[in-house]
Amino acid sequence: MDKLLRSLHTLGALVMFIGQVARSAVTPPVYLGETLRMMNVLAKRCVIPVSLAVAPVGAVISLQGISIFKLFGAERMLSSFLGTAIFREYSPALASVMVAAQAGSSIAARIGTMKVRGQIDALAVMSVDPVRYVVVPGVLACVIVAPLLSVLTNLLGVFSGWVFAVPIGGIDHGAFMEHLTAQITPADLWIGLGKCSLFGLGVGLIAGYLGLNVGKGAADVGKAANDTVVSTIVLILLVDYAVSMALLGAGL
Amino acid sequence: MADPTSTPDDTPAVVLDNVSKSFGDHTVLDGVSLTIQRGSIAVMLGPSGTGKSVLLRCLVGLLQPDRGRVLVFGEDVAALDEKRAADRKRLFAIRRRFGMLFQDGALFDDMTVFDNVAFPMRLHTQLSEQAIHEKVSDRLARVGVAHAEQKFPSELSGGMRKRVAFARAIAIDPDIVLCDEPSSGLDPVMSATLDELILELHRTLGMTFIIISHDTAEARKVADTIGMLANGKLVTFGPAEQVFAENHPALEQFFTRATVGPIKVV
Ligand SMILES: Nc1ncnc2c1ncn2[C@@H]1O[C@H](COP(=O)(O)OP(=O)(O)O)[C@@H](O)[C@H]1O
Ligand SMILES: [Mg+2]
């Protein structure tokens, strides 16, 4: 009972926090320089891990796919399966999970460190709203960087799939390119980017909330970073599943 | 920025009216009342853990007292809730009249020394980057860290961080400067230099200082008002000569570094 009350309290605080972030993001002053700086930091932190995560996926789909498609004599069609899998599912999910792991943890750790070392109070005493100055730039950066990363993972996933299908697997390059986009529509690409922005939003908000509400010491900062990663990854996978089901249901 | 015209001249800089603050069942401030006139230098003494920092945090609205009023130039900060947008605006307007040196500096880790001191100038003044450069260099030279402009806080000693934090606190010529133990961690020469600087800023710009200190030499040198906080109560407070003359037992114990007296080591 006590636990339930506390969860409700946290949920209420989170909702209020989200309201404050939303209001701060659309009313002046907006700290654009901080936002650009955060985008730069986050993009640099994410680009290599996200590449390393998606490249093997494209390769594995091609490797596994060829042997199965061959049973039906349909290996020319392989790329349509690869394209669908990468563009619709793997690319947005992997990009988002990596944003959660890298960007989410670094935002939560940065804000948490500022909090335990009194820098958040210092900002407030200098009449700078910490939500505006440190939370909003992190949230905006996640919302923008996550879809940009998924563009990268789209290209890389397809490229590594191509390497294992065409030069190594012996599939005709023309056929590969012809079928690559056969099963996907521009809407799929937009939905993928939209999902990434949505997940980036969730990562930025949760990281900001847990960072600002960190406990008292260095160990609590680690905990805030860790909690951010775990909760956002679970959230991403659940919401991704729900969105995919809903879109399939809607015939998209 | 020093703007003596904005409120009548005789409004005190700070009035605490029966302020109490507890954390759980631990009462830290227990009905503290005091008045600090504008343009004065008040030094607050007291053993560690009695709530001196809590007192300063109440002045700028970082903590809300459970009871009592905290008047800054006549406006009650304790009645403002930072979580509410309208109150936040009022609070931020009041805070712009403060500069604050936190006990552990609270410099921004990801900014150089220069950018730390320039930060409030860039946010709250219309100064050109050129003018900011000159002013920051001047402030850093006065606290003796001109050579470290481009260093990051993590590359400085504790005493240097404190001096940079002082430079940041006075960056935009605030009306009231709050200093939480400015001299702890400084060598005697540096500490004396800082005292001189406080006296000079007081003389030339008329800044009001509220200084928390353990350093009795510093108190004698700069204070025109002295207060002592012990066990949640203000045990003495008043003009420096008077307080020194009356020689309250707690103050006496503090000044003579005696282990026996009203201040209990728990
Ligand atoms: N945010 C807080 N939450 C709980 N207790 C606090 C908080 N801030 C200060 N305290 C407690 O209040 C007391 C006074 O602290 P402080 O004002 O920092 O002492 P000092 O006089 O040394 O500056 C200490 O016992 C401290 O543990
Ligand atoms: Mg203190």
Side-chain angles (χ1 to χ4, degrees), chain A residues 16 20 23-24 31 34 37 110 113-114 116-130 132-133, chain B residues 57 60 62 82 85 88 91-93 95-96 98-100 102 104 106-111 119-120 123-124 168:
Chain A
M16 298 250 302
Q20 199 188 339
R23 225 175 313 117
S24 306
Y31 297 104
E34 272 300 291
R37 205 176 62 85
R110 172 167 180 265
T113 305
M114 290 184 75
V116 295
R117 304 183 67 169
Q119 296 162 28
I120 295 292
D121 286 343
L123 279 175
V125 170
M126 285 189 260
S127 301
V128 177
D129 184 345
R132 282 180 193 279
Y133 190 78
Chain B
R57 297 167 81 80
V60 288
L62 282 177
E82 189 166 356
R88 189 160 58 232
L91 198 56
F92 278 11
R95 283 178 182 166
R96 250 170 247 166
F98 280 103
M100 185 161 181
F102 286 84
D104 42 17
L107 296 174
F108 301 120
D109 292 322
D110 52 2
M111 288 184 202
F119 184 79
L123 279 171
H124 296 312
R168 185 177 70 180

Side-chain angles (χ1 to χ4, degrees), chain B residues 48-256:
Chain B
S48 295
T50 42
K52 303 183 299 299
S53 298
V54 167
L55 187 88
L56 284 197
R57 297 167 81 80
C58 287
L59 288 183
V60 288
L62 282 177
L63 284 176
Q64 280 188 303
D66 306 325
R67 257 180 306 125
R69 295 187 305 157
V70 178
L71 304 180
V72 175
F73 295 115
E75 186 157 3
D76 190 1
V77 173
L80 299 173
D81 178 0
E82 189 166 356
K83 295 214 172 63
R84 292 177 34 204
D87 283 3
R88 189 160 58 232
K89 219 169 157 182
R90 279 306 312 148
L91 198 56
F92 278 11
I94 297 170
R95 283 178 182 166
R96 250 170 247 166
R97 307 185 70 170
F98 280 103
M100 185 161 181
L101 163 60
F102 286 84
Q103 188 165 357
D104 42 17
L107 296 174
F108 301 120
D109 292 322
D110 52 2
M111 288 184 202
T112 61
V113 163
F114 182 94
D115 287 334
N116 262 285
V117 180
F119 184 79
M121 299 182 191
R122 288 180 175 141
L123 279 171
H124 296 312
T125 71
Q126 311 295 319
L127 294 176
S128 67
E129 208 40 45
Q130 172 70 27
I132 287 175
H133 195 96
E134 280 165 21
K135 207 165 170 190
V136 172
S137 300
D138 170 68
R139 293 284 143 105
L140 287 174
R142 281 160 180 264
V143 295
V145 273
H147 57 286
E149 262 186 18
Q150 294 310 318
K151 292 204 162 136
F152 285 89
S154 58
E155 301 167 315
L156 306 181
S157 73
M160 286 166 85
R161 277 202 287 273
K162 200 136 235 184
R163 286 178 275 155
V164 174
F166 183 79
R168 185 177 70 180
I170 58 168
I172 55 172
D173 303 339
D175 291 324
I176 307 177
V177 187
L178 307 178
C179 300
D180 200 342
E181 303 194 12
S183 54
S184 55
L186 298 193
D187 64 73
V189 176
M190 204 59 232
S191 178
T193 311
L194 202 65
D195 292 341
E196 303 280 344
L197 180 56
I198 288 171
L199 286 170
E200 186 195 327
L201 289 166
H202 173 253
R203 202 168 47 237
T204 53
L205 297 175
M207 290 181 190
T208 305
F209 282 87
I210 302 175
I211 300 168
I212 288 174
S213 179
H214 292 301
D215 182 348
T216 50
E218 175 172 53
R220 287 191 187 278
K221 186 164 172 186
V222 302
D224 47 39
T225 306
I226 289 206
M228 173 130 189
L229 210 58
N231 311 325
K233 303 262 192 202
L234 197 60
V235 293
T236 179
F237 185 83
E241 324 79 71
Q242 191 185 314
V243 170
F244 285 130
E246 121 197 328
N247 222 351
H248 189 282
L251 201 66
E252 162 97 17
Q253 184 189 358
F254 213 65
F255 278 15
T256 57

Side-chain angles (χ1 to χ4, degrees), chain B residues 12-17 19 33-36 59 69-74:
Chain B
V14 168
V15 177
L16 296 192
D17 176 17
V19 168
S33 298
L34 56 80
T35 298
I36 294 170
L59 288 183
R69 295 187 305 157
V70 178
L71 304 180
V72 175
F73 295 115

